[in-house]
Amino acid sequence: MGQKILLEHAQVPGIKTYEIYRKVGGYRSVEKALKSMTPDEVVEEVKTSGLRGRGGAGFPTGMKWSFIDKKSGKPRHLVCNADESEPGTFKDRYLMEYIPHLLIEGMITSSYALGCNLSYIYIRGEYMWVFRILETAIKEAYANGWLGKNILGSGFDLDLHVHCGAGAYICGEETALIESLEGKRGNPRIKPPFPAVSGLWANPTVVNNVESIAAVPWIVNNTGAEYAKIGIGRSTGTKLISASGHCKNPGVYEIDLGLSVDEFMNSDEYLGGMMDDRPLKALVPGGSSVPILPAHLIFKTTEGNDRLMTYESLSEGGFASGSMLGSGGFIVYNDTTCIVRNTWNFSRFYHHESCGQCSPCREGTGWMEKVLHRIEHGHGREEDIELLWDIQRKIEGNTICPLGDAAAWPVAAAIRHFRDEFEYHVRFPEKIKNRDHFVAEPFEKVKHLVAKEVV
Amino acid sequence: MKVTIDGQEIDVEPGTTILQAARKIGGESVPPAMCYYSKLKGSGGKCRCCLVEVSKGSDANPTPMPKLVASCVTGVMDGMEVKSITSERVVDARKSVTEFLLINHPLDCPICDQAGECDLQNLSFKNGSSKTRFIEEKRTFEPENIGPNIQLHMNRCILCYRCVMTADQLTDGRVHGVVNRGDHSQISTCISKAIDNEFSGNMIDVCPVGALTDKTFRFKQRVWFNKPYNAHRNCTKCCGKTTLWMFGEEIQRVTARKDEYHEVEEFICNECRFDHKDPKDWVIEGPRKFEKDSVINQNNYTRKLDKVVIETESQILLGREQDRKKISMTAIPLKKDEVQVFKEGQI
């Protein structure tokens, strides 16, 4: 059984309210930091903890904090990225919905460490009810002296605002988020300059994910060294995983990094195995933008090691045989899943969400979606598979922000690992056109793609 | 700072971008640019045409950059080594971007007013393929009227944002921008307003394709049939230095003067651009020079053409000379049987 750091009190009745949150030890980290630690000491603790950004990229949080330009004399800002929009990822919502004060506590402690007097939570537009929960919690924090002027008599002032986006996936990219927060169109900026030097209103800015910020109170309370003891190697601490798809117990789980994928998939504590005991066909371990893994690469790497829930293990072998931990959107597919349809669905999302600023992403995502649409609906040509491969290759790495890569990787991985299925679609268009998606039967010709044993 | 581009070293000032350094060198190494415009702040980085490979970061940190970088927004470092036309990755990326830009761009050059001075036409001439792999229906937009001077043809737009920046940086009361997102993005006004401010005409000049064209010139002439002259007039609003596009004695169009990268030297006002089409209004300085290889130069027949020698195998020409003589019927008269055949009309 893993430690509960973020979700320790999630099930306490009334934990949304300030009183109950305070009763279970809430806001202790603010007291500790403001009364007994310097900002640099807090940064050092976070560095020691080895906490890595939980938004998907996995960049060390302490290092990111140390990049912030403190010498410029400009005001600094901390922005919490709560624009969680990736298909399959819903862990930040859970955290904010159930324990809003944990995020606010993390924001105060982190703002103190970074020397920010004005911080923001940028939340996804579709999370309107969570927005309201956060607003209520912020009001309570103001009312109890945790926000505002001279917090706890320390001389530290902090104003915290929650800003609701208009509903655009691209606003989860940190520079697009900053643009949107400034009231502009949510287009990513070209880096450099990085936000740590010139971010919100050209001031030094740190953008962190909800989960990263929510981990800071525990680190401050229990020291970074204790946090670093959890996990394996460079993947320290715990991670929220939002599991969905054909598993028995979908939901949000807090796991120690280093847990094996096998245990996470099959133990009753977590996912409890496959829904209806059907065979496992594929897995997306980190949200829709990361490459899909076929059954034979899910539990073991090509070198025969156990696949672990860590940044390193999940990406072992590069994209040829690995994937990414990403944001922790764990999507499970059984043998009835049509990979082409699934890929088309993802592609549809990225086409819809591309901001349209740079040419490869604007035109390429649309083109991929159209080709996949054709293949999925029985109008594909044999050369379309090569065409798709070529389009994704031309998008990847050539765009301003990572959305291009996010659109290209699922397509590349699907073709790499499930080419037979694409070919089946092209060669047997009548069978594809006439199939009934509500009949839970795998394709006859591609049965060999699924795991032989029921797992 | 020293920077090497395709093996050619040049000294530049700190803060220079790779593209600016390449333009100083000139020639084939200059990356193409569809969205970068030196006169507009914040332009560049969007079209991805100008991607280059940085094979050495700097003397201090020689690590190559893993991804291709947009040369128009990447500053040079001392000792940086850049590959432009010599990199296969770069050539491939340029071809890719050209293909992406063309999938939804209507290939209506025969009727487009920008033909002949279109950056996308030039880009596809150098990097494009003669065949398209895009078999789907192209994206189209409803026509929109944005005022009396400028014709917006959204289907041709490549979303370079130059016109938005022009409106933002040159004029007051900006009424247009980009709406929607992805490949549904479009340049539009808020809401169905006319663009009528004094410097709005410059949006036509900065547009690299035919999305924004001059209503007063529309369908009047192909640009290569016009002869451009440098001219000026005393103007209280702008510099008054323009290019007049003449057809005989008639001024058919007035634009700002552009350099070899098709960027205006100075922006001009709408009065100079749209209201003065009488040659008496202008002091004509003289004809402009063309780029040698430009489409616009194609009607310049004063160039001395090289003699074309077609090398063929001698066997092919066997008997050809004799045939020619027979046809001329001067040197070798037809034989009797040949006369018969000739009379029957079978020769």
Side-chain angles (χ1 to χ4, degrees):
Chain A
M1 175 104 182
Q3 286 202 50
K4 291 270 191 284
I5 286 179
L6 302 167
L7 304 184
E8 190 182 355
H9 305 297
Q11 300 306 324
V12 175
I15 191 72
K16 272 193 201 112
T17 60
Y18 171 75
E19 285 75 25
I20 305 289
Y21 184 71
R22 185 77 179 126
K23 264 185 200 164
V24 298
Y27 290 102
R28 268 193 303 134
S29 73
V30 180
E31 281 177 310
K32 185 178 174 186
L34 265 59
K35 286 181 178 168
S36 64
M37 294 170 84
T38 64
D40 286 343
E41 281 171 351
V42 181
V43 175
E44 275 309 309
E45 285 297 336
V46 174
K47 270 190 183 173
T48 313
S49 73
L51 174 69
R52 292 170 71 172
R54 301 295 195 226
F59 191 80
T61 306
M63 197 185 286
K64 195 177 199 178
W65 285 13
S66 65
F67 290 154
I68 195 164
D69 185 1
K70 290 187 173 175
K71 290 174 188 163
S72 65
K74 290 180 182 174
R76 298 188 284 273
H77 304 290
L78 172 66
V79 179
C80 172
N81 185 348
D83 192 89
E84 178 183 62
S85 321
E86 183 122 314
T89 307
F90 43 89
K91 45 134 189 143
D92 290 344
R93 184 193 77 188
Y94 187 88
L95 204 58
M96 291 185 285
E97 192 179 344
Y98 284 85
I99 335 170
H101 281 285
L102 179 64
L103 176 62
I104 294 163
E105 183 182 350
M107 286 297 287
I108 300 167
T109 314
S110 308
S111 299
Y112 173 71
L114 294 163
C116 307
N117 301 115
L118 180 55
S119 298
Y120 290 89
I121 299 170
Y122 184 96
I123 192 166
R124 177 184 182 193
E126 290 88 338
Y127 285 175
M128 185 46 86
W129 80 102
V130 187
F131 168 76
R132 292 199 184 104
I133 290 170
L134 281 175
E135 273 205 324
T136 311
I138 287 174
K139 265 185 203 165
E140 286 178 328
Y142 266 108
N144 290 283
W146 299 102
L147 287 169
K149 297 276 179 206
N150 196 16
I151 300 166
L152 302 181
S154 64
F156 173 62
D157 309 331
L158 176 65
D159 280 313
L160 179 62
H161 299 286
V162 53
H163 180 98
C164 199
Y169 172 66
I170 189 59
C171 290
E173 198 278 337
E174 60 176 358
T175 54
L177 185 153
I178 290 170
E179 286 278 296
S180 172
L181 199 51
E182 287 179 359
K184 298 180 210 155
R185 187 180 158 86
N187 281 352
R189 291 178 184 171
I190 292 153
K191 294 189 247 185
F194 289 90
V197 178
S198 175
L200 189 60
W201 298 305
N203 295 333
T205 305
V206 165
V207 183
N208 277 143
N209 181 254
V210 171
E211 195 187 338
S212 316
I213 290 173
V216 172
W218 196 93
I219 292 168
V220 170
N221 287 333
N222 300 280
T223 73
E226 280 299 310
Y227 189 84
K229 284 180 190 167
I230 311 165
I232 290 178
R234 287 176 58 232
S235 298
T236 60
T238 63
K239 173 92 186 79
L240 293 184
I241 303 289
S242 50
S244 59
H246 300 133
C247 55
K248 273 196 179 126
N249 310 317
V252 176
Y253 295 93
E254 183 170 10
I255 60 158
D256 288 359
L257 284 171
L259 183 78
S260 74
V261 177
D262 192 5
E263 193 182 341
F264 184 65
M265 268 292 303
N266 295 318
S267 73
D268 290 337
E269 189 187 342
Y270 298 108
L271 302 192
M274 295 296 292
M275 190 175 78
D276 302 333
D277 293 328
R278 292 201 76 101
L280 173 66
K281 180 174 184 181
L283 174 76
V284 173
S288 69
S289 63
V290 308
I292 194 167
L293 284 176
H296 69 278
L297 289 171
I298 292 171
F299 301 117
K300 295 274 182 195
T301 64
T302 45
E303 290 174 2
N305 301 322
D306 278 345
R307 184 83 78 183
L308 307 178
M309 298 289 283
T310 61
Y311 292 95
E312 293 78 20
S313 181
L314 279 170
S315 59
E316 207 168 315
F319 287 166
S321 63
S323 182
M324 288 166 83
L325 179 61
S327 57
F330 199 87
I331 313 171
V332 182
Y333 300 112
N334 70 14
D335 61 341
T336 63
T337 311
C338 171
I339 296 294
V340 177
R341 192 176 182 84
N342 180 63
T343 312
W344 168 54
N345 200 25
F346 282 168
S347 210
R348 212 155 51 116
F349 172 77
Y350 290 107
H351 175 208
H352 186 258
E353 296 295 338
S354 166
C355 78
Q357 194 182 197
C358 61
S359 329
C361 180
R362 181 184 65 238
E363 306 293 348
T365 49
W367 194 1
M368 281 199 301
E369 196 226 307
K370 284 170 186 163
V371 175
L372 278 162
H373 179 276
R374 266 196 293 114
I375 297 176
E376 166 57 17
H377 290 84
H379 303 289
R381 308 167 300 167
E382 258 180 67
E383 61 262 38
D384 281 339
I385 303 169
E386 277 313 310
L387 177 64
L388 261 183
W389 180 264
D390 201 44
I391 300 170
Q392 68 78 23
R393 190 182 61 77
K394 288 175 169 179
I395 299 172
E396 189 197 348
N398 288 343
T399 51
I400 295 174
C401 79
L403 194 141
D405 299 344
W409 290 338
V411 175
I415 298 175
R416 188 183 289 120
H417 299 303
F418 296 95
R419 198 184 177 95
D420 294 15
E421 205 159 320
F422 283 85
E423 286 175 0
Y424 182 84
H425 273 68
V426 171
R427 288 187 191 149
F428 303 100
E430 288 309 314
K431 286 190 181 179
I432 296 302
K433 273 191 262 185
N434 298 331
R435 90 197 122 136
D436 184 350
H437 280 285
F438 297 99
V439 175
E441 278 298 320
F443 289 150
E444 187 188 327
K445 295 270 180 186
V446 289
K447 273 184 179 169
H448 64 283
L449 291 171
V450 300
K452 283 179 184 151
E453 292 167 22
V454 174
V455 286
Chain B
M1 281 186 168
K2 275 197 174 129
V3 57
T4 310
I5 300 172
D6 287 343
Q8 304 165 87
E9 196 175 88
I10 189 171
D11 277 313
V12 291
E13 293 292 314
T16 309
T17 62
I18 297 172
L19 181 73
Q20 286 164 342
R23 283 184 174 183
K24 280 190 176 177
I25 293 172
E28 286 291 302
S29 296
V30 182
M34 303 295 292
C35 67
Y36 173 75
Y37 207 82
S38 59
K39 311 293 185 299
L40 296 170
K41 279 182 206 164
S43 67
K46 295 174 181 65
C47 69
R48 317 307 278 178
C49 291
C50 68
L51 292 176
V52 290
E53 182 182 339
V54 176
S55 52
K56 181 186 167 191
S58 65
D59 281 338
N61 179 15
T63 321
M65 293 188 187
K67 286 183 179 181
L68 302 180
V69 297
S71 61
C72 61
V73 287
T74 308
V76 298
M77 305 286 279
D78 196 19
M80 185 183 261
E81 285 177 17
V82 178
K83 286 182 180 175
S84 177
I85 198 80
T86 53
S87 162
E88 274 183 32
R89 280 171 70 196
V90 170
V91 173
D92 186 42
R94 274 181 205 160
K95 283 183 179 167
S96 311
V97 172
T98 311
E99 186 175 22
F100 283 135
L101 287 174
L102 288 174
I103 63 170
N104 276 315
H105 185 85
L107 297 174
D108 60 352
C109 309
I111 57 150
C112 175
D113 287 285
Q114 190 83 357
E117 47 185 13
C118 172
D119 290 346
L120 186 56
Q121 207 177 22
N122 293 343
L123 184 79
S124 50
F125 182 70
K126 281 195 173 173
N127 302 290
S129 161
S130 59
K131 282 184 182 173
T132 179
R133 297 187 294 172
F134 184 77
I135 59 166
E136 274 75 24
E137 196 175 327
K138 286 182 190 254
R139 166 202 62 204
T140 51
F141 297 89
E142 287 295 311
E144 193 179 351
N145 185 6
I146 59 167
N149 298 325
I150 306 169
Q151 177 67 39
L152 170 63
H153 196 306
M154 191 53 223
N155 293 346
R156 296 176 187 147
C157 179
I158 58 160
L159 286 165
C160 68
Y161 286 65
R162 279 180 183 178
C163 62
V164 178
M165 285 172 194
T166 308
D168 207 18
Q169 292 168 25
L170 286 186
T171 63
D172 298 325
R174 181 184 135 199
V175 292
H176 93 294
V178 180
V179 295
N180 297 329
R181 67 180 175 222
D183 58 6
H184 304 290
S185 301
Q186 68 178 103
I187 302 287
S188 185
T189 54
C190 179
I191 298 163
S192 299
K193 279 189 176 172
I195 297 175
D196 61 353
N197 58 62
E198 201 45 61
F199 278 78
S200 61
N202 291 295
M203 285 166 26
I204 300 166
D205 280 345
V206 300
C207 183
V209 293
L212 293 165
T213 48
D214 186 342
K215 270 191 180 172
T216 63
F217 177 62
R218 215 166 162 239
F219 302 134
K220 268 193 177 170
Q221 196 59 268
R222 310 305 296 177
V223 289
W224 53 89
F225 292 132
N226 277 156
K227 189 154 189 176
Y229 291 89
N230 279 349
H232 67 265
R233 64 179 281 272
N234 284 330
C235 179
T236 51
K237 295 171 191 163
C238 69
C239 64
K241 291 176 186 171
T242 60
T243 299
L244 307 180
W245 298 76
M246 312 271 289
F247 189 75
E249 292 292 304
E250 184 192 350
I251 297 174
Q252 294 199 319
R253 183 173 65 147
V254 181
T255 65
R257 292 183 193 173
K258 293 186 181 180
D259 62 16
E260 61 178 310
Y261 301 109
H262 308 153
E263 293 178 10
V264 299
E265 288 164 12
E266 279 176 276
F267 294 106
I268 59 166
C269 67
N270 280 7
E271 190 190 331
C272 287
R273 185 185 301 271
F274 298 119
D275 299 342
H276 293 278
K277 297 286 174 74
D278 188 342
K280 287 175 196 160
D281 295 344
W282 297 94
V283 178
I284 295 175
E285 296 164 18
R288 283 181 69 84
K289 285 184 180 173
F290 299 113
E291 281 173 62
K292 191 182 165 196
D293 297 327
S294 62
V295 176
I296 207 168
N297 204 23
Q298 293 308 301
N299 70 330
N300 185 353
Y301 299 112
T302 57
R303 282 182 303 163
K304 192 181 171 188
L305 298 173
D306 293 331
K307 192 176 178 186
V308 180
V309 179
I310 302 169
E311 286 182 13
T312 49
E313 289 179 25
S314 54
Q315 296 287 322
I316 293 173
L317 295 174
L318 268 181
R320 177 74 57 87
E321 197 59 30
Q322 208 168 16
D323 287 349
R324 196 174 289 154
K325 283 172 185 170
K326 279 182 186 175
I327 291 163
S328 68
M329 293 193 296
T330 51
I332 304 172
L334 296 172
K335 293 173 188 167
K336 277 186 181 172
D337 52 337
E338 284 175 338
V339 171
Q340 190 58 35
V341 172
F342 181 76
K343 280 181 181 171
E344 289 168 4
Q346 292 172 357
I347 196 165

